[in-house]
Amino acid sequence: MSLKSPEQKNGRLVLPGERLGVIEEFIPDSGTYVKDSVIYSKIVGRALMDLLNKRVSVYPLTTGAVTPKVSTVVIGQVGNAQSDNVLVRIFKIGNKKLTGVFTGILHVSDVSDRYIDSISDVCRPGDLIRAKVISTKNQIYHLSTLDNNLGVIYAFCSRCGNFLELKRYEMQCPKCGNIEKRKTAPDYGTEEI
Ligand SMILES: [Zn+2]
């Protein structure tokens, strides 16, 4: 037994392809796959790190064939960013959490009715955002954050990864003091994921 109390990471939300650990530390269990000795999540779910038995598994959130439709509100994680758009891994539609992941795209022109310099003033990779589907043409989910209730719901410091606190005009990292910009939703930091 280790003297340090084992950190039980029950229930962390993970997405497909998310790194969970290495086979030297954990035995991969259901909902996971291994590539080059690294264990990844196969599904959207909650990761269970069983530190006693050294097992890692991912439990699916819900099942059911839900796909994003025009005017539905979705929640996703910001992925790759270009200068004028970001990709969003959609994992929740309305109140339904998905077992698969749909990729949406948010273009800088669909972000705000104010002029936006750069999409990095709106959201950054790793952030969770709430957005509305405005088109599903060619099965590409085009998203918008124009409405007042839409925008970033969780933002993370691009310097140290800590959760950013919402100040009056900007976002501040309580850990390293970094100041960043986002277009936040009015209920920033409160949505249950
Ligand atoms: Zn920071």
Side-chain angles (χ1 to χ4, degrees):
M1 284 285 279
S2 160
L3 287 174
K4 280 189 229 158
S5 66
E7 190 192 351
Q8 197 82 10
K9 284 183 177 170
N10 287 6
R12 179 170 66 97
L13 179 76
V14 293
L15 299 172
E18 202 160 322
R19 192 182 192 276
L20 301 170
V22 291
I23 52 172
E24 285 82 10
E25 338 170 79
F26 288 109
I27 302 160
D29 215 326
S30 62
T32 68
Y33 68 92
V34 176
K35 198 182 163 195
D36 299 331
S37 308
V38 179
I39 307 166
Y40 298 96
S41 177
K42 207 156 49 175
I43 56 173
V44 176
R46 301 240 170 234
L48 178 67
M49 313 293 216
D50 181 346
L51 298 179
L52 206 63
N53 298 306
K54 303 268 183 234
R55 284 184 176 276
V56 58
S57 50
V58 181
Y59 290 92
L61 296 172
T62 51
T63 47
V66 191
T67 56
K69 295 193 174 58
V70 170
S71 85
T72 50
V73 171
V74 298
I75 289 179
Q77 186 172 39
V78 177
N80 283 353
Q82 307 285 324
S83 58
D84 63 351
N85 70 73
V86 291
L87 296 181
V88 178
R89 292 186 284 172
I90 300 166
F91 59 85
K92 199 172 167 189
I93 299 176
N95 293 319
K96 276 225 156 75
K97 287 167 185 169
L98 306 175
T99 45
V101 167
F102 296 94
T103 301
I105 184 164
L106 175 65
H107 192 265
V108 71
S109 60
D110 297 317
V111 158
S112 167
D113 44 19
R114 289 182 305 121
Y115 173 75
I116 303 282
D117 252 350
S118 156
I119 198 134
S120 63
D121 290 344
V122 173
C123 58
R124 296 194 183 185
D127 290 354
L128 300 185
I129 66 164
R130 184 189 298 122
K132 194 166 81 178
V133 179
I134 51 171
S135 161
T136 59
K137 222 180 202 171
N138 305 323
Q139 287 184 333
I140 298 166
Y141 301 101
H142 289 274
L143 305 175
S144 158
T145 59
L146 271 173
D147 292 355
N148 265 338
N149 62 327
L150 306 175
V152 172
I153 53 173
Y154 287 95
F156 302 95
C157 176
S158 46
R159 201 189 283 167
C160 76
N162 203 75
F163 176 68
L164 290 176
E165 283 175 0
L166 180 60
K167 301 290 176 193
R168 198 159 171 196
Y169 298 109
E170 59 209 5
M171 316 292 294
Q172 193 178 15
C173 175
K175 204 170 163 192
C176 75
N178 193 24
I179 289 183
E180 302 186 10
K181 278 190 195 168
R182 295 292 195 277
K183 193 251 180 198
T184 52
D187 60 343
Y188 177 79
T190 61
E191 165 112 14
E192 230 180 275
I193 298 296

